[in-house]
Amino acid sequence: MERSCSWCSSEQIETGKETVYWELPDGTRAIEITDVPSVVCHDCHIVYQTDEIVKTIEDQLFIVDTKSIAKTIAFEGLMNLPKLLKKNYFDFS
């Protein structure tokens, strides 16, 4: 877990679950993902997802059938979708 805000360096942060909107990798549409692990800063009032969570979502969207995803899906539901590939072969990092 982060110990300080990535934006303002405040230590007045807490974790929560928030709703985010994500464009699918093919660019055809955006979806709403609910209950995403997030960081909330009480000083600068930003709500964001850690780099690890962002990568997790992006990797998952590359390896599942995105056509089967409804307009809204819970984070855990997204993570539990059947995978078409073993891993994200498009990640060259």
Side-chain angles (χ1 to χ4, degrees):
M1 182 185 130
E2 292 194 9
R3 297 180 190 264
S4 63
C5 176
S6 293
W7 297 91
C8 73
S9 301
S10 169
E11 293 182 5
Q12 300 302 312
I13 61 170
E14 66 180 1
T15 57
K17 294 191 177 204
E18 301 293 331
T19 297
V20 299
Y21 300 89
W22 220 274
E23 183 178 359
L24 296 180
D26 63 6
T28 57
R29 63 188 174 108
I31 59 171
E32 177 182 61
I33 309 172
T34 61
D35 300 322
V36 178
S38 303
V39 177
V40 179
C41 178
H42 294 290
D43 282 341
C44 71
H45 307 289
I46 194 164
V47 177
Y48 64 96
Q49 292 68 48
T50 62
D51 291 341
E52 179 181 289
I53 292 295
V54 169
K55 182 166 177 19
T56 298
I57 292 171
E58 289 179 350
D59 284 348
Q60 186 72 351
L61 289 173
F62 267 109
I63 63 174
V64 299
D65 178 12
T66 57
K67 291 179 178 78
S68 68
I69 301 174
K71 290 180 182 180
T72 300
I73 189 168
F75 178 77
E76 287 301 319
L78 176 63
M79 294 301 115
N80 291 324
L81 288 176
K83 294 169 178 54
L84 300 174
L85 300 170
K86 290 181 183 179
K87 67 176 192 168
N88 179 0
Y89 293 101
F90 303 101
D91 181 7
F92 301 109
S93 58

